[in-house]
Amino acid sequence: MDRALVDIVKREFKDALFATLGRFPEAATRNDLYLALALAVRRELLRRSVATSETYYKKASRTVCYLSAEFLLGPHLANNLLNLGVEAETRQAMSELGYDLDQLLAQEEEPGLGNGGLGRLAACYMDSLATLAIPAIGYGIRYEYGIFDQLIHDGWQVEKTDKWLALGNPWEIARPEIAFAVGFGGRAQAMDDEGRYRAIWIPERHVRGVAYDTQVLGYRNGTANLLRLWKAEAAESFDFAAFNQGDYWGAVDQKIDSENITKVLYPNDELVRGKRLRLEQQYFFVSCALQDMIRIHLQKGAPLSGFHEKYAAQLNDTHPAVAVAELVRLLVDVHAMGWEEAWDITRRTLAYTNHTLLPEALEKWPVEMFGQVLPRHLEIVYEINRRFLEEVRGRYPGDDGRVARLSLIDEGGPRSLRMAHLASVGSHRVNGVAALHTKLLKADVLRDFHELWPEKLVNVTNGVTPRRFLALANPRLAALVTGAVGDAWPRDLERLRGLEPLAEDAAFRAEWRQVKRANKLDLSGVIEARAGVACDPDSLFDIQVKRIHEYKRQHLNVLHVVALWQRLRREPEAAVPPRTVVFGGKAAPGYRMAKLIIKLIHSVAEVVNADPATRDRLRVAFVPDYNVTNCMPIFPAAELSEQISTAGKEASGTGNMKFAMNGALTIGTLDGANVEIREAVGEDNFFLFGLTVEEIQALRSTGYRPRGYYESDPVLREVIDAVAGGRFARGDASLFRPIVDSLLGQDPWLLLADFRPYLECQAAVERAYLDPQRWTRMSILNTARMGRFSSDRSIADYCREIWRVQPVPIDLPSRPA
Ligand code: F58
């Protein structure tokens, strides 16, 4: 323990409590104490931030700009203490002052500025960029309300607004002097600038984007990168013209209108269609980001002709894809560059990550609306498209079908702008997020692009940060691992490989089991408190946590639960290990089927948990409000990780990685990154089931008939009949009708086809679990072989293959006296 550091923490804590918050200890609330500690820690972040900016400024190396509409960060305080390596000293300092660090940590409201995997990936990537000492800025939106909080009333999801800023956010610093005007609407006016293609845009209104900065620390290094989120404000706090004419309310209205842009995160995890405000959000943050990048560049006295040498901008899905048109506009219209050069710079700067294969999730904007919000951008898009299609026609003369398929504009039905096409044309690299996903992009969604530019489409398999999801979430396992392989693994996850031989060491296996058992005990407490379900810590912890979606097939899991329950009632003597099946996840507020699946889980849980014949052998719990905070005790306690999406639908998945890193075995389909996880951990250490992408294609082409499975499989029939007959709905046979009808009708996600293989695979899980030595071996090998799923590896791939950037290490600043 570093005694001097304990004293510094105490001093800075007291100083923040008094000088910044204006409180004295006796009157301080727990939130005051949390804020004071956060502010004390922030001083350390800021010292690193200053050193970091100074070094970046001097070295002038290429900077990664990660453009993302979502950053799902999770609580800062514990993570910052971990990365700084000062947890023990801070705990000591608080305890000497009479406070409990854990209580202060629990006080933090997490910034839920994302929906799920995509937003969390952006947060993991910020963590890895800083840890790898890569100059980087994350650009996004400072939503006043993040993803809603999920309450459960009588088994139904109820949404509550997330007022995460209500008690103050000590991690952000407003930069009112860094602000940009962003235009909307109006019209574009052609300009004859000596034969150059240029125009002026006369927007109908302007909104001001103000920067809010949060420091993102690297793990135990000197780097503190910037996450810069934009808040919308009225361009003038009052419209003075309106005010002077006596239109006070009109002026205030305009202020409210402007601020609406960053008011709330859209809570849909796959689909947001045709919402004007959503388009405004996207353009708003992209314009602020690009204006900021240009400002920084010009401030250094560098010419815009070298912009792409200084910046690599990554588009996290198509939400920031309007950057293609905006960068061209800024260069051509505002900075008077010629089209050819501007276009070249744009493409060399931008790269695009695709996160979905679901056709309904590919963003499209009605051309009419796009033109109303961004008239000048629509012209630019048309010009990009004209030139692009000319190239296509040159390459494939007479192939009009191909031209129509590639066009940025979808002409079938009301004309719409295909954002994935805009992003692909405007980028020098496009990537998928897992090997299978990239392969399917090449074969399907982006096939024509792949044929046109075979070099452009590359794979970068997702990863997750081992700092938050292993070191912080699972301190017991982290300590055991460190004892075995040393303490370098948090920044070099391949070191976990050193655990492999220990899988054969009985004493180590016993320790491994003790850790899991303690983690399960912890989670049992959480489940009891939050779901009201008591569970047996010696049962198999079988967990599925993720957004609720039909393609993710939580209902397949439920069907298995029902089948297991019916079997346990029928065969009380069966050699089946006791099991606790845990669910968690939010449903998009307007997604009725997903909400009904949540209700089904609760209804099945109610019946199963109350059944004296089975209650010692099967429990079901739904943990409400799954988010970054609440996931922390879940991954470490999991033994079986459910990754059961329909093959070809989950682009990658990242929860699958968090589970396996923490020693859970996966039951899963050949989908997304499951394929690579299975390859890495070994076929024998992974429970595989289900149709492959090819088999699904074949099945569909010969005509898929779900009823056939229902009719020929007595177990499936009994399960469906129980659900359809109201067995879990207090006799109300209509409640779950939509689910039953979907399954027996089209069954678009092929649950019935995969039901029997899933059941058999679950039986294999049971057999393996009955042999604890075998199970533990498999568990150790899972953790040992997950090194490649660190987000550090993903970021290293991006740096090499896409961004062409190098680390710029920062010297640790010296400690204050
Ligand atoms: C997810 N997408 C993928 N989208 O579904 C998942 O397979 C992948 O692992 C992850 O991205 C990271 O690559 C996802 O989370 C969203 O949440 C969007 C939010 C905004 C609206 C559209 C979907």
Side-chain angles (χ1 to χ4, degrees):
M1 174 97 49
D2 181 340
R3 186 60 237 179
L5 189 53
V6 175
D7 292 329
I8 294 176
V9 175
K10 284 165 75 175
R11 191 184 69 211
E12 293 190 341
F13 170 84
K14 288 191 231 166
D15 185 60
L17 189 63
F18 171 73
T20 311
L21 300 168
R23 291 276 160 179
F24 59 96
E26 292 75 7
T29 63
R30 186 175 292 170
N31 193 61
D32 294 328
L33 301 172
Y34 155 71
L35 289 176
L37 180 57
L39 291 171
V41 171
R42 193 179 77 175
R43 293 178 72 105
E44 196 52 40
L45 270 54
L46 291 174
R47 291 198 301 121
R48 283 158 206 248
S49 171
V50 168
T52 302
S53 327
E54 205 175 42
T55 311
Y56 289 168
Y57 189 84
K58 279 194 211 127
K59 298 258 162 96
S61 14
R62 197 173 199 212
T63 301
V64 174
C65 296
Y66 199 83
L67 271 57
S68 179
E70 305 191 355
F71 287 90
L72 188 42
L73 299 168
H76 294 277
L77 180 53
N79 200 247
N80 284 331
L81 294 177
L82 172 77
N83 283 9
L84 291 169
V86 300
E87 203 234 73
E89 285 80 2
T90 306
R91 186 174 295 280
Q92 177 65 24
M94 290 301 102
S95 135
E96 288 178 17
L97 294 172
Y99 308 123
D100 174 11
L101 178 61
D102 293 323
Q103 286 187 357
L104 302 189
L105 290 173
Q107 186 64 32
E108 183 169 353
E109 279 274 354
E110 76 169 74
L113 309 185
N115 271 288
L118 172 144
R120 182 55 233 179
L121 188 77
C124 284
Y125 283 0
M126 289 306 293
D127 176 280
S128 284
L129 282 161
T131 296
L132 296 180
I134 304 297
I137 306 176
Y139 281 117
I141 300 174
R142 182 181 176 278
Y143 300 104
E144 190 175 329
Y145 303 120
I147 186 71
F148 63 86
D149 295 335
Q150 180 191 52
L151 307 177
I152 302 293
H153 288 172
D154 186 30
W156 295 99
Q157 167 176 299
V158 172
E159 300 90 20
K160 188 174 143 244
T161 47
D162 161 52
K163 304 202 175 73
W164 72 289
L165 291 168
L167 295 178
N169 171 13
W171 303 102
E172 68 181 5
I173 295 186
R175 301 268 185 226
E177 77 287 4
I178 303 179
F180 298 98
V182 179
F184 292 96
R187 63 198 167 82
Q189 199 165 63
M191 215 172 78
D192 190 10
D193 189 7
E194 289 151 24
R196 278 196 182 169
Y197 180 90
R198 234 182 117 180
I200 39 174
W201 173 25
I202 305 145
E204 174 196 288
R205 64 182 177 122
H206 282 96
V207 172
R208 223 167 98 89
V210 180
Y212 281 71
D213 288 352
T214 301
Q215 277 65 44
V216 180
L217 285 182
Y219 181 75
R220 314 248 161 128
N221 65 11
T223 302
N225 281 336
L226 214 56
L227 174 62
R228 179 160 284 173
L229 303 180
W230 302 96
K231 174 181 195 282
E233 290 184 356
E236 297 283 345
S237 52
F238 279 101
D239 177 338
F240 281 103
F243 188 60
N244 289 334
Q245 287 159 23
D247 185 11
Y248 182 80
W249 292 113
V252 175
D253 268 357
Q254 210 198 26
K255 177 170 155 64
I256 292 171
D257 262 7
S258 307
E259 291 178 356
N260 264 344
I261 291 184
T262 54
K263 193 60 81 183
V264 58
L265 167 79
Y266 277 94
N268 288 21
D269 68 330
E270 292 300 336
L271 173 116
V272 185
R273 193 107 308 168
K275 292 269 188 287
R276 183 183 301 253
L277 183 61
R278 168 81 172 169
L279 177 60
E280 290 173 351
Q281 288 185 335
Q282 297 183 346
Y283 175 62
F284 167 76
F285 96 89
V286 162
S287 178
C288 289
L290 290 171
Q291 292 190 64
D292 194 41
M293 289 156 67
I294 291 176
R295 172 190 66 89
I296 297 169
H297 189 75
L298 295 178
Q299 208 173 51
K300 291 179 181 166
L304 279 179
S305 58
F307 185 77
H308 56 287
E309 289 160 12
K310 296 297 170 192
Y311 289 112
Q314 191 67 29
L315 308 178
N316 195 25
D317 214 302
T318 53
H319 322 137
V322 65
V324 174
E326 174 68 355
L327 185 50
V328 170
R329 185 190 72 85
L330 289 168
L331 294 175
V332 172
D333 292 358
V334 179
H335 295 277
M337 191 181 276
W339 177 278
E340 310 281 345
E341 191 188 4
W343 181 238
D344 186 55
I345 289 174
T346 298
R347 281 178 133 183
R348 286 169 188 261
T349 303
L350 301 178
Y352 153 56
T353 305
N354 171 290
H355 294 267
T356 187
L357 293 160
L358 301 182
E360 66 272 26
L362 292 171
E363 273 196 308
K364 283 181 190 173
W365 290 106
V367 166
E368 195 187 327
M369 180 194 294
F370 192 90
Q372 284 162 5
V373 178
L374 301 169
R376 174 58 184 147
H377 297 77
L378 184 58
E379 285 184 1
I380 292 173
V381 166
Y382 281 147
E383 179 62 12
I384 293 170
N385 201 31
R386 187 185 67 74
R387 290 168 181 248
F388 169 55
L389 294 182
E390 203 171 276
E391 183 186 335
V392 175
R393 288 195 188 93
R395 278 281 299 279
Y396 306 95
D399 193 345
D400 291 342
R402 188 181 296 263
V403 170
R405 289 198 307 274
L406 278 166
S407 174
L408 304 190
I409 309 294
D410 185 347
E411 312 267 356
R415 299 170 76 235
S416 59
L417 172 54
R418 298 161 162 157
M419 299 307 271
H421 291 214
L422 178 62
S424 299
V425 172
S427 297
H428 66 288
R429 283 285 180 283
V430 175
N431 76 285
V433 291
L436 175 67
H437 172 228
T438 303
K439 187 180 124 189
L440 295 173
L441 282 179
K442 288 179 180 174
D444 189 16
V445 178
L446 296 178
R447 177 180 176 156
D448 294 309
F449 283 98
H450 182 54
E451 281 175 19
L452 185 63
W453 297 311
E455 311 287 278
K456 208 186 248 201
L457 193 43
V458 299
N459 178 246
V460 180
T461 298
N462 283 169
V464 301
T465 171
R467 271 77 63 185
R468 180 177 288 276
F469 293 108
L470 191 50
L472 194 61
N474 198 345
R476 294 188 185 97
L477 194 67
L480 181 60
V481 167
T482 299
V485 305
D487 65 0
W489 61 267
R491 67 187 121 217
D492 179 11
L493 204 63
E494 287 292 348
R495 303 269 180 141
L496 293 179
R497 196 58 78 178
L499 295 171
E500 265 189 34
L502 293 165
E504 293 309 320
D505 178 333
F508 187 78
R509 284 201 302 270
E511 290 186 77
W512 192 269
R513 266 197 306 279
Q514 266 170 27
V515 165
K516 189 60 88 180
R517 159 85 210 204
N519 292 339
K520 287 165 70 182
L521 205 57
D522 284 355
L523 182 60
S524 305
V526 172
I527 293 174
E528 169 104 62
R530 309 216 20 254
V533 176
C535 47
D536 170 10
D538 290 313
S539 61
L540 164 61
F541 274 35
D542 170 353
I543 308 190
Q544 185 171 24
V545 284
K546 49 181 82 240
R547 288 297 287 254
I548 311 293
H549 205 291
E550 287 165 281
Y551 85 78
K552 296 176 187 283
R553 301 200 293 193
Q554 281 90 355
H555 45 342
L556 176 58
N557 190 343
V558 177
L559 295 188
H560 167 253
V561 170
V562 173
L564 179 58
W565 174 63
Q566 291 172 337
R567 177 172 159 222
L568 291 173
R569 285 168 61 90
R570 215 174 22 241
E571 308 169 30
E573 304 302 320
V576 176
R579 207 190 264 250
T580 302
V581 186
V582 179
F583 293 86
K586 296 175 185 178
Y591 189 173
R592 297 183 54 181
M593 196 62 115
K595 290 183 138 176
L596 193 57
I597 291 172
I598 293 178
K599 176 62 177 171
L600 176 63
I601 294 168
H602 282 93
S603 302
V604 168
E606 188 177 292
V607 170
V608 166
N609 295 345
D611 184 347
T614 61
R615 46 177 300 146
D616 294 338
R617 310 178 70 189
L618 178 62
R619 289 286 162 108
V620 183
F622 186 96
V623 187
D625 202 31
Y626 180 63
N627 59 19
V628 180
T629 307
N630 293 332
C631 83
M632 298 298 270
I634 292 180
F635 295 113
E639 293 178 294
L640 188 64
S641 152
E642 299 272 353
Q643 307 300 334
I644 58 178
S645 51
T646 314
K649 299 298 174 187
E650 189 70 89
S652 163
T654 43
N656 47 3
M657 301 169 188
K658 296 164 196 169
F659 277 111
M661 244 177 226
N662 281 281
L665 308 189
T666 305
I667 181 164
T669 48
L670 282 179
D671 199 16
N674 293 354
V675 177
E676 291 156 85
I677 292 174
R678 176 166 173 266
E679 235 166 61
V681 303
E683 292 174 15
D684 298 344
N685 305 306
F686 187 106
F687 296 98
L688 178 70
F689 76 97
L691 295 170
T692 63
V693 173
E694 293 77 19
E695 288 165 347
I696 289 175
Q697 271 165 4
L699 182 59
R700 284 199 205 279
S701 68
T702 56
Y704 172 50
R705 216 179 67 84
R707 262 196 183 272
Y709 295 84
Y710 168 80
E711 281 154 10
S712 65
D713 185 334
V715 174
L716 176 58
R717 203 163 51 237
E718 198 186 340
V719 169
I720 298 275
D721 288 350
V723 175
R727 180 70 182 81
F728 305 105
R730 298 172 192 155
D732 175 2
S734 67
L735 182 58
F736 298 118
R737 191 83 257 163
I739 293 178
V740 173
D741 286 350
S742 164
L743 296 181
L744 294 178
Q746 301 283 306
D747 188 16
W749 313 104
L750 294 108
L751 261 80
L752 300 202
D754 273 346
F755 176 77
R756 177 49 58 176
Y758 181 53
L759 210 67
E760 280 164 13
C761 195
Q762 289 284 16
V765 169
E766 288 167 4
R767 290 191 293 276
Y769 197 75
L770 287 173
D771 179 351
Q773 299 300 339
R774 174 176 167 217
W775 187 276
T776 311
R777 258 190 225 105
M778 295 166 77
S779 166
I780 295 171
L781 290 177
N782 263 264
T783 301
R785 296 172 177 172
M786 284 299 289
R788 76 159 91 143
F789 299 97
S790 164
S791 44
D792 298 348
R793 189 272 311 143
S794 311
I795 288 299
D797 289 356
Y798 277 103
C799 288
R800 214 178 43 252
E801 309 288 336
I802 299 180
W803 301 330
R804 308 270 149 100
V805 294
Q806 301 289 333
V808 176
I810 310 298
D811 295 328
L812 272 177
S814 54
R815 209 182 263 174

